[in-house]
Amino acid sequence: MYDGGKRHKNGSHHLIRANLHRMRASGVLPSWYADLQHKLVPSSQPRAYRIVCIGATAAAFIMGIFIGLMIPLYLLPPTAVAASPLLSERPLNLSSSTVPPTLDRPASFDTVSFVQQPQQQQQQQPLLPMPSSSTPVNSSLISDGVYWSDQVERALPRGYDSGSAAEWRRYVRQGRVVKMEEGCGRMQNRLVTFDNGSTSCCRYRQNVDQIQGEIFGFYLGRYILGLPNLTPTTLSRAKPQSRQWSSVKAQVSLAQWVTEDKAVVMTKFVKNLLPAFIPSFLRPSDRRLHPPDVQDSGSDLDVSELAQWSDLVVFDYLTANMDRMINNMYNLQWNPTMMDAPAHNLAKDQGSGLLLFLDNESGLLHGYRLLDKYEHYHKSILNAVCVFRRSTADAIKRLYKQKNVGELLRSAFKQSDPEFVDILPTLPEKNVKILNQRIARVHEQIVRCESMYKSTA
């Protein structure tokens, strides 16, 4: 009875549709009315047929998603999958606490953008064997318990002195800029060529803190501590209308240096630089570079480089620079091979072996603001070192006794770049206070090391 009623109902629907079609064709009904009636009449398609269509559509959708995921995972080469920004990892750039982590390929260890990357230098440097604390101290390497000997000092690269800095400063003030191109790292930095062919890395920053960190870091390292590892650096102003910059007026505009009278940092560009690696003594978590750990350089141990690293540890602790060894240590949480990578913002002169302490803009200001987060890294490195250059230790002892580092920095500013005294603020007093505290901490480490080893020398 039910099936017959259903067949009767379907037959009625066909009859109604046929009648509506004939009436519309004869003009009795408007076409829009007939169409409306046609839509209101239920479809004669069986319900089972519609269910099958819906199920087939859903199955095709699910199959498409499955195929789209499986093809990249199983058919494409691993390098293509690794190139995905969601799957790759790079070390965090600690120079800015507000910038999200940048990503880096685990096999690519960039140190400074303009450092040469020859094939043999891209491979990881093997760890040197860690000497035992019972190893006897070589008297030809260590003097008075904790100082590098005169023999080591004579083997050190000469580096840059105050005369080199003064000569560079004079030329930057007088030389004409004939070429300006991208380079030297960040987007608004420019590689500048002067009319005598010499080149400079010109650093422009919107943030005056970074200009202060770079120039006052140079004054501290070069003039106060006497370190030869800082490339000659001075201040300048890029004025497109001046004779000095007129040849590159268009390039200055393209660089988007919005304020022409703003101070920029001009650092002498050095060619033939190679990546510099962290010494084996300072790579493991139980890092330690004490007198008993220093071995004879008859093997592959480069004692002259170790002596430069002892200066770097002191300098980076004073300035709270996060962009070198701290960068590698922090990024261990993402890349367990980071300590085998080149140190960030550190390079080695291919000819002389001089280590260059580059890009010090995060020190003295930005680094001091982040001490709560990174001080345990700084302390870990400083506490690991108990061998020093005598001249560096003497400078620390003198600064600790006289507590005049702020006065010395202001004097260096006035003597080196007097025309910028009214343009660039000097180092704030609160930062001078922190610097004095860090000088006291380095002094404490030197005295502690002397008490441990000087009596047994």
Side-chain angles (χ1 to χ4, degrees):
M1 192 68 181
Y2 176 78
D3 291 341
K6 185 174 182 181
R7 287 193 296 270
H8 176 75
K9 183 177 179 181
N10 288 339
S12 299
H13 290 166
H14 285 297
L15 181 60
I16 292 173
R17 292 175 185 274
N19 289 335
L20 288 173
H21 182 72
R22 284 195 295 273
M23 293 173 68
R24 183 178 63 180
S26 61
V28 176
L29 289 176
S31 60
W32 64 268
Y33 184 78
D35 290 338
L36 179 62
Q37 292 295 324
H38 182 79
K39 293 178 180 178
L40 292 176
V41 176
S43 172
S44 60
Q45 287 184 337
R47 181 179 180 186
Y49 178 79
R50 293 196 297 273
I51 292 175
V52 170
C53 291
I54 294 172
T57 303
F61 178 75
I62 294 173
M63 183 63 69
I65 294 177
F66 179 79
I67 293 174
L69 289 175
M70 292 300 103
I71 287 178
L73 290 176
Y74 290 96
L75 298 183
L76 294 181
T79 54
V81 178
S84 167
L86 298 178
L87 300 177
S88 58
E89 291 186 348
R90 291 181 62 185
L92 177 64
N93 184 345
L94 301 179
S95 61
S96 174
S97 59
T98 60
V99 178
T102 55
L103 302 180
D104 198 2
R105 303 283 185 269
S108 175
F109 299 128
D110 294 334
T111 159
V112 187
S113 62
F114 52 84
V115 170
Q116 297 179 14
Q117 299 287 342
Q119 187 65 31
Q120 66 271 22
Q121 290 295 331
Q122 291 183 356
Q123 300 177 359
Q124 295 180 8
Q125 231 188 26
L127 279 173
L128 299 176
M130 179 65 71
S132 167
S133 59
S134 60
T135 303
V137 178
N138 190 325
S139 59
S140 66
L141 301 180
I142 302 296
S143 175
D144 291 339
V146 295
Y147 300 113
W148 297 107
S149 68
D150 292 341
Q151 176 181 329
V152 175
E153 291 282 350
R154 288 193 297 269
L156 290 175
R158 178 181 177 185
Y160 299 99
D161 56 18
S162 298
S164 302
E167 181 181 355
W168 173 250
R169 184 169 58 250
R170 284 193 300 269
Y171 188 79
V172 169
R173 298 289 191 273
Q174 301 169 4
R176 291 194 63 187
V177 178
V178 296
K179 186 177 180 182
M180 184 174 171
E181 55 191 327
E182 291 186 2
C184 300
R186 297 193 181 186
M187 183 178 64
Q188 289 185 300
N189 288 354
R190 289 296 183 269
L191 184 63
V192 169
T193 302
F194 291 95
D195 51 4
N196 73 340
S198 62
T199 52
S200 171
C201 189
C202 183
R203 306 176 189 281
Y204 175 93
R205 294 289 182 271
Q206 292 285 358
N207 188 346
V208 70
D209 284 8
Q210 294 172 321
I211 299 295
Q212 290 174 289
E214 187 73 49
I215 195 65
F216 285 104
F218 177 76
Y219 297 153
L220 175 65
R222 173 58 264 155
Y223 298 125
I224 300 177
L225 296 178
L227 305 182
N229 306 85
L230 287 96
T231 310
T233 299
T234 190
L235 294 172
S236 182
R237 277 187 289 179
K239 293 184 175 182
Q241 307 302 329
S242 67
R243 177 181 175 275
Q244 185 180 28
W245 292 84
S246 60
S247 298
V248 292
K249 181 178 180 181
Q251 286 76 10
V252 173
S253 178
L254 288 174
Q256 299 180 358
W257 293 355
V258 295
T259 305
E260 294 180 4
D261 284 341
K262 197 168 188 176
V264 295
V265 176
M266 302 287 280
T267 302
K268 185 177 178 63
F269 186 85
V270 183
K271 300 178 181 179
N272 300 321
L273 297 182
L274 298 175
F277 292 84
I278 299 171
S280 60
F281 301 98
L282 301 179
R283 293 188 200 179
S285 57
D286 58 344
R287 58 188 57 87
R288 180 182 131 122
L289 179 58
H290 284 214
D293 304 318
V294 177
Q295 300 183 95
D296 196 321
S297 58
S299 60
D300 51 0
L301 182 65
D302 189 342
V303 180
S304 67
E305 187 167 317
L306 278 179
Q308 295 178 76
W309 267 93
S310 66
D311 273 352
L312 178 61
V313 168
V314 171
F315 179 64
D316 279 359
Y317 183 82
L318 293 180
T319 61
N321 189 315
M322 305 173 297
D323 283 342
R324 270 187 281 268
M325 193 170 168
I326 302 297
N327 179 78
N328 291 51
M329 294 171 65
Y330 183 83
N331 283 292
L332 279 172
Q333 56 191 308
W334 294 289
N335 186 347
T337 67
M338 277 302 298
M339 297 307 287
D340 300 331
H344 194 62
N345 287 346
L346 184 68
K348 184 176 181 178
D349 184 86
Q350 190 172 16
S352 67
L354 178 71
L355 294 181
L356 294 179
F357 307 166
L358 303 168
D359 299 353
N360 302 297
E361 62 183 24
S362 72
L364 295 174
L365 292 105
H366 183 70
Y368 284 0
R369 287 195 291 267
L370 299 177
L371 284 177
D372 289 343
K373 185 174 182 179
Y374 299 111
E375 177 62 7
H376 66 286
Y377 292 109
H378 294 295
K379 285 183 178 178
S380 171
I381 301 171
L382 179 64
N383 291 339
V385 176
C386 253
V387 187
F388 307 94
R389 290 188 65 192
R390 191 183 298 273
S391 59
T392 305
D394 288 345
I396 292 295
K397 292 178 179 180
R398 186 168 55 251
L399 290 171
Y400 173 75
K401 180 179 180 180
Q402 299 177 359
K403 294 181 173 51
N404 62 341
V405 67
E407 190 177 318
L408 294 175
L409 286 173
R410 286 189 292 270
S411 176
F413 188 21
K414 292 178 181 178
Q415 292 181 19
S416 300
D417 300 287
E419 57 268 58
F420 291 89
V421 171
D422 295 330
I423 297 175
L424 185 71
T426 188
L427 197 65
E429 282 300 322
K430 63 178 181 180
N431 296 70
V432 173
K433 181 179 179 181
I434 296 174
L435 178 55
N436 272 310
Q437 293 171 350
R438 300 182 79 75
I439 290 171
R441 177 65 189 87
V442 175
H443 179 266
E444 177 186 345
Q445 175 69 5
I446 294 172
V447 172
R448 182 176 73 89
C449 293
E450 287 179 336
S451 66
M452 291 171 60
Y453 296 110
K454 197 169 184 178
S455 60
T456 60

